[in-house]
């Protein structure tokens, strides 16, 4: 079945590291609709809750800038609240509400005119998912913080997993939906552009990884030292994020046996 209507992005102003200063919420379908990522109480979101028949509420992942109005939306609409299976306790801690139902890869959330299918897209966060649906214009993928039209996505230790993130990007590149609906910023239109964005983000990670590995081979062993060597610009304003990113790269390189890493010091493999 084809879904005839979806609303979004509804840019909800929220405290976030994203340059836009907002998180995109989306409503999929007209009846018994799925509301995704209600980030905060906001007049535009209140209009959506009053105007649409919202039957389901879900989030792409549990970060604070995506979940702030889940409890409010559920109370206002009486909607079924969904969470990733196995992550129910984490979801309740993040949102303040216990889920009614759980989903996994391939779960279909039935809406008024069709269904939305859950895709596992971990990496930015371990529970990160996407929501795929069809409209008359083609296939759409609501991708949360997997991708952005410009810039890059944070993938930082301890919860960020670069191996999983790159696999998720490759999955979207292969799928090449007609439209990618990100958690922040503008939509990504057309299969060719979706693939271009995925390739750009993959290339960005490969380039950063090469710099991290070169830093270790050059004698940098601690996270601060590797960060100083691997970044070509001053990262003082985002130092914590840069170091979390470097830690995630070190973990990936260690798993792939390019380096050894004990959580404190990295060394090259002889």
């Amino acid at each position: 079945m084809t879904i005839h209507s979806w609303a979004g992005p509804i840019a909800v102003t929220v405290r976030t590291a994203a340059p836009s200063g907002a998180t995109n919420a989306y409503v999929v379908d007209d009846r018994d609709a799925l509301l995704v990522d209600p980030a905060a109480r906001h007049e535009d979101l209140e209009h959506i809750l009053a105007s649409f028949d919202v039957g389901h509420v879900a989030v792409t992942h549990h970060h604070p800038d995506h979940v702030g109005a889940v409890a409010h939306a559920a109370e206002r609409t009486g909607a079924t609240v969904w969470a990733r299976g196995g992550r129910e306790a984490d979801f309740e801690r993040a949102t303040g509400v216990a889920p009614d139902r759980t989903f996994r890869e391939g779960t279909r959330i039935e809406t008024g005119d069709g269904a939305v299918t859950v895709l596992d897209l971990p990496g930015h966060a371990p529970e990160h998912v996407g929501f795929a649906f069809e409209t008359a214009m083609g296939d759409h993928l609501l991708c949360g913080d997997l991708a952005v039209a410009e810039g890059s996505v944070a993938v930082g230790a301890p919860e960020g997993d670069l191996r999983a993130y790159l696999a998720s990007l490759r999955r979207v590149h292969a799928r090449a939906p007609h439209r990618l609906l990100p958690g922040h910023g503008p939509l990504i239109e057309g299969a060719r552009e979706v693939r271009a964005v995925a390739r750009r983000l993959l290339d960005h990670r490969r380039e950063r990884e090469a710099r991290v590995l070169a830093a270790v081979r050059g004698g940098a062993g601690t996270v601060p030292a590797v960060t100083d060597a691997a970044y070509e610009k001053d990262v003082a304003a985002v130092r914590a994020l840069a170091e979390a990113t470097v830690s995630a790269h070190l973990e990936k390189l260690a798993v792939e046996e390019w380096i050894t890493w004990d959580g404190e010091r990295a060394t090259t493999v002889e």
Side-chain angles (χ1 to χ4, degrees), residues 2-15:
T2 297
I3 291 173
H4 299 294
S5 176
W6 63 280
I10 306 149
V12 177
T13 301
V14 65
R15 185 175 181 179

Side-chain angles (χ1 to χ4, degrees), residues 122-220:
H124 176 72
E127 74 283 351
H128 197 292
V129 299
F131 299 96
F133 59 97
E134 295 275 346
T135 75
M137 294 184 66
D139 56 332
H140 292 54
L141 177 58
L142 202 162
C143 70
D145 283 358
L146 176 71
V148 285
E150 298 179 354
S152 62
V153 172
V155 183
E159 68 169 6
D161 184 325
L162 274 167
R163 285 164 60 85
Y165 178 71
L166 296 177
S168 294
L169 275 178
R170 293 187 188 104
R171 184 180 193 189
V172 170
H173 182 276
R175 190 181 181 97
H178 170 75
R179 184 178 276 139
L180 203 59
L181 315 179
H184 306 279
L187 306 184
I188 300 165
E189 302 272 3
R192 181 176 297 179
E193 184 62 21
V194 168
R195 281 189 163 149
V197 167
R199 283 195 301 270
R200 175 178 61 78
L201 292 168
L202 287 164
D203 289 344
H204 170 72
R205 291 299 168 185
R206 281 192 287 264
E207 291 165 6
R208 179 66 61 210
E209 179 178 288
R211 287 179 174 272
V212 169
L213 182 56
V216 176
R217 287 174 170 169

Side-chain angles (χ1 to χ4, degrees), residues 16 25 42 56 74 77 116 122-123 183 189 231 244 251 253 260 263 268:
T16 175
H42 186 273
H56 310 272
T77 64
V116 178
E189 302 272 3
Y231 280 84
E251 289 175 0
L253 288 166
T260 61
T268 55

Side-chain angles (χ1 to χ4, degrees), residues 209-248:
E209 179 178 288
R211 287 179 174 272
V212 169
L213 182 56
V216 176
R217 287 174 170 169
T222 64
V223 169
V226 174
T227 301
D228 289 338
Y231 280 84
E232 65 280 7
K233 61 184 179 181
D234 181 10
V235 295
V238 290
R239 183 75 189 190
L241 178 58
E243 291 192 357
T245 299
V246 165
S247 294

